[in-house]
Amino acid sequence: MRQSSLVVVANRLPIDDSVAPDGACEWRRSPGGLVSALHPLLRHTPATWVGWAGGTGPAPALPDVDGVRMHTVALTADDLRDHYEGFANATLWPLYHDSVEQPEYHRRWWEAYQRVNQRFAEATADVAEPGAVVWVQDYHLQLVPGLLRELRPDLRIGFFLHVPFPPPELFMQLPRRAELLRGMLGADLVGFQRSQAAHNFAQLVAKVLDVPADDRRIVVDDRVVRIGAFPVSIDTVELAALATRPDVAERAARLRHDLGSPEQVILSVDRMDYTKGIEQRLKAYSELIADGHVKVRDTVLVQVAVPSRERVGQYQILRERVEREVGRINGEFGRVGEPAIHYLTQPFDRVELAALYRVADVMAVTPLRDGMNLVAKEYVAARVHDTGALLLSEFAGAAAELPQAYLVNPHDLEGLKQGLLAALRADPEDLGARMRAMRAHLHRHDIRAWARSYLAALDDDGSLLTRMGAAG
Ligand code: ADP
Ligand code: G6P
């Protein structure tokens, strides 16, 4: 077994098997913030990524992706149902996102979560060279740090949670709360998107495990576990470069023409997820049309909603409701060849996404709760001419970093409508000043800065950073 000095462990690998139009199996980049954040970073770094390739059955042998080794962990049909769709995405995901949907608790799901976490820990132990740095990602694998430490005490283990970490009132619902906290404490460094999340974690450790904890360090079993906030970011240089490519500019011009050359284009790009506030946004837009504030001929909404976690009941219900609402709005307000909403459920490649960002006069990012939201940052990075307005939910982690956006509370329909109108009617000079400030922030706080600050905190002697040209 080949071993690496840096191992990233995430439920999902950065590539996904999908079927090409000619029926052949092809590999493409998986949509989602975690992959978008880590993929550019590891390019050309000798590392191994341990993860699941989607699907069930034996683990496929995958080629390296940009120099990163893919080490696949297999999930059975039962694991998929009870670990991925169950405990990860029907218990933890809703609970961690303010319980905007009701989390479900089933003992069988917990057993699967333990079993799959054990499998990931063993796979990681196999591919980590002595003294390696291991970076475990996200809510699917919260037990891995503890399990891995038992197998390989020589490793330096980091854990990063990409989603929010809830306040004690919510987390205390979890039947297996103590085990989950103990699992995370197996790491040397536990990172969150926001300092509030680190605070919630420290409070919970003190309350549930009766271990003294502050917002920076916890001493457990004679080890120091550091905690902190490390807001994740994007490859701003890559996106800006993409957005300025002549073929992307042409693609954007064609898109605007195909949309009927409206005066203004509003864009939203989400995974189809109930945390993203898609229904609230559609309602706000349709009320603005009904009130006469927005004319469909002048202003169109492009809603990209790529299906996600499609076998989970709450996601199926959401998709049906969104599609019914899009149909209703287009039926009521559209005309032949002139829909009010252009609704797309396909995954797009980076070129197409950059062209969409270029076309958007207003980018509406209005989740009910979101750990960070990279789409908001991608839009800003792509606006190389300092034009365009970002409408952003106060409940996205990105809001703390981008206060120059039009900030809205997506639960407040009137506020959402006013925010959207303000963004549509904004003065170009004001928009330019806001966009410049946001772009300057992202320029300094890009994905490399994120990795550098996290890994510097994890990597006491600095040896890893020296090896990782990409983060240095
Ligand atoms: P989440 O992680 O909850 O999906 P983020 O906004 O943080 O939300 O990250 C979403 C990532 O997935 C972004 O990098 C975005 O570009 C990508 N993405 C979203 N929709 C699509 C799509 N239709 N095709 C390709 N990539 C997409
Ligand atoms: C969010 C999560 C990631 C996840 C992604 C896509 O970004 O934080 O861990 O990979 O959504 O979701 P999926 O269920 O398709 O992996």
Side-chain angles (χ1 to χ4, degrees):
M1 181 79 60
R2 288 189 302 172
Q3 295 191 319
S4 297
S5 56
L6 173 64
V7 182
V8 165
V9 193
N11 180 64
R12 198 173 269 292
L13 286 172
I15 51 174
D16 224 343
D17 62 340
S18 54
V19 180
D22 63 2
C25 174
E26 65 176 7
W27 295 96
R28 66 167 184 228
R29 174 164 155 166
S30 335
L34 183 148
V35 165
S36 297
L38 288 169
H39 186 260
L41 184 77
L42 294 178
R43 228 167 10 203
H44 313 306
T45 301
T48 296
W49 185 313
V50 177
W52 168 60
T56 53
L62 298 185
D64 292 1
V65 176
D66 296 330
V68 179
R69 271 181 225 148
M70 299 290 121
H71 187 80
T72 318
V73 175
L75 294 192
T76 65
D78 285 355
D79 300 333
L80 179 77
R81 187 190 59 214
D82 296 339
H83 164 75
Y84 171 73
E85 295 169 346
F87 199 81
N89 284 313
T91 302
L92 294 179
W93 179 269
L95 182 73
Y96 286 11
H97 288 86
D98 284 355
S99 284
V100 294
E101 287 286 345
Q102 184 62 35
E104 283 182 48
Y105 303 109
H106 298 292
R107 283 166 288 185
R108 205 183 55 223
W109 290 0
W110 169 250
E111 284 157 22
Y113 189 78
Q114 287 176 293
R115 173 172 82 228
V116 171
N117 272 251
Q118 180 69 37
R119 198 175 308 146
F120 270 82
E122 285 166 9
T124 308
D126 286 344
V127 299
E129 70 180 39
V133 169
V134 174
W135 197 1
V136 183
Q137 313 285 325
D138 234 353
Y139 59 99
H140 317 82
L141 302 178
Q142 278 171 238
L143 303 179
V144 168
L147 295 168
L148 187 57
R149 182 166 296 282
E150 276 173 29
L151 294 170
R152 291 286 304 272
D154 60 302
L155 302 174
R156 256 199 112 59
I157 304 172
F159 178 80
F160 184 79
L161 188 71
H162 290 253
V163 299
F165 192 74
E169 307 85 271
L170 279 178
F171 190 84
M172 289 302 283
Q173 286 183 13
L174 258 180
R176 310 313 289 253
R177 57 202 184 191
E179 285 97 321
L180 278 172
L181 294 173
R182 256 187 239 115
M184 292 163 83
L185 287 175
D188 296 294
L189 175 65
V190 180
F192 299 93
Q193 303 276 25
R194 307 280 311 267
S195 44
Q196 180 63 47
H199 177 67
N200 293 345
F201 180 70
Q203 280 198 312
L204 276 159
V205 166
K207 190 176 164 92
V208 176
L209 303 181
D210 198 20
V211 168
D214 65 35
D215 292 8
R216 300 176 68 86
R217 62 202 293 277
I218 298 169
V219 180
V220 59
D221 304 335
D222 297 327
R223 277 190 313 114
V224 175
V225 179
R226 272 162 310 141
I227 59 180
F230 302 87
V232 74
S233 196
I234 56 159
D235 190 340
T236 45
V237 172
E238 183 222 19
L239 245 160
L242 249 186
T244 31
R245 264 170 42 177
D247 57 325
V248 172
E250 258 169 52
R251 181 79 199 105
R254 202 153 7 108
L255 268 170
R256 187 171 276 275
H257 174 263
D258 293 346
L259 289 169
S261 302
E263 280 168 29
Q264 287 190 299
V265 176
I266 307 168
L267 173 68
S268 287
V269 176
D270 307 284
R271 273 185 312 99
M272 178 75 81
D273 196 298
Y274 50 79
T275 59
K276 301 292 181 183
I278 302 173
E279 291 183 273
Q280 287 78 356
R281 192 187 306 142
L282 293 180
K283 191 160 176 52
Y285 176 63
S286 74
E287 285 198 11
L288 285 175
I289 303 174
D291 299 345
H293 291 301
V294 164
K295 301 255 174 306
V296 169
R297 172 151 298 166
D298 305 333
T299 307
V300 298
L301 171 63
V302 178
Q303 172 67 63
V304 178
V306 61
S308 182
R309 308 170 192 167
E310 290 177 82
R311 299 193 327 170
V312 179
Q314 289 159 331
Y315 288 78
Q316 292 171 346
I317 293 168
L318 173 76
R319 183 167 183 175
E320 278 165 25
R321 288 167 56 152
V322 164
E323 298 196 339
R324 202 175 319 128
E325 189 62 2
V326 169
R328 181 191 71 77
I329 296 169
N330 278 339
E332 212 165 302
F333 302 111
R335 299 200 211 164
V336 174
E338 223 176 64
I341 302 173
H342 294 256
Y343 172 70
L344 305 163
T345 57
Q346 309 121 47
F348 290 109
D349 63 23
R350 307 299 292 165
V351 170
E352 194 77 14
L353 271 178
L356 278 167
Y357 292 143
R358 266 197 79 138
V359 165
D361 302 289
V362 174
M363 183 81 211
V365 182
T366 57
L368 304 178
R369 175 60 76 190
D370 212 326
M372 175 51 64
N373 198 290
L374 294 183
V375 165
K377 291 189 169 180
E378 289 172 355
Y379 175 69
V380 170
R383 303 302 296 186
V384 289
H385 303 296
D386 294 327
T387 54
L390 175 63
L391 182 74
L392 181 61
S393 164
E394 292 166 7
F395 297 94
E401 290 180 78
L402 303 174
Q404 299 84 2
Y406 287 83
L407 293 178
V408 287
N409 170 3
H411 299 277
D412 168 16
L413 194 57
E414 272 316 306
L416 191 51
K417 287 167 68 179
Q418 290 314 315
L420 191 51
L421 264 191
L424 283 166
R425 293 176 178 169
D427 164 48
E429 248 182 62
D430 179 33
L431 287 181
R434 289 169 183 252
M435 194 55 82
R436 260 191 303 283
M438 292 193 285
R439 290 214 314 124
H441 174 84
L442 288 190
H443 195 72
R444 291 191 304 275
H445 298 93
D446 69 349
I447 187 68
R448 282 175 194 80
W450 172 70
R452 205 184 302 125
S453 68
Y454 184 91
L455 292 173
L458 176 62
D459 176 33
D460 278 347
D461 61 3
S463 59
L464 176 74
L465 282 177
T466 318
R467 270 176 277 146
M468 271 185 84

